[in-house]
Amino acid sequence: MMGLASLLLALAGLPAIAIAAWLAKDSRPASPGLAIRMALVGITILLGALGLYWAGEDGSRAMKVALAMALVVNALALSMWWHVRKFNPRKGV
């Protein structure tokens, strides 16, 4: 059963890598940094899938892997937000 969950999670991480490739081709100033961060999100999700497969039926390990993956993905999302704000600061606020 965990093998199926790992496979589904790995498939869910592939769009992040596709978005990173799309951003890498964009010419806007913030795009290269966003592309790197999206690629890291995709890699994190793929590593999380590998970790879930490694955890197997051990619920404690699976919970630790899922928590670590969620923390890293959310930290990268926050980093993306800060990166975009650097290129588009609010004026007059």
Side-chain angles (χ1 to χ4, degrees):
M1 187 63 172
M2 290 307 275
L4 180 61
S6 300
L7 178 64
L8 291 175
L9 185 61
L11 290 175
L14 293 178
I17 295 185
I19 291 170
W22 176 69
L23 283 168
K25 295 177 187 176
D26 199 359
S27 63
R28 289 177 275 196
S31 293
L34 288 176
I36 291 170
R37 288 165 177 84
M38 277 306 291
L40 289 173
V41 166
I43 291 168
T44 300
I45 293 172
L46 292 175
L47 287 175
L50 186 62
L52 280 181
Y53 185 74
W54 166 77
E57 297 296 325
D58 187 355
S60 175
R61 280 188 192 169
M63 183 65 70
K64 289 175 186 174
V65 167
L67 181 62
M69 183 185 63
L71 287 173
V72 171
V73 167
N74 282 303
L76 285 167
L78 191 59
S79 174
M80 282 187 238
W81 180 65
W82 284 332
H83 181 72
V84 169
R85 282 186 51 99
K86 181 173 70 173
F87 285 95
N88 190 17
R90 292 185 185 188
K91 295 185 173 53
V93 176

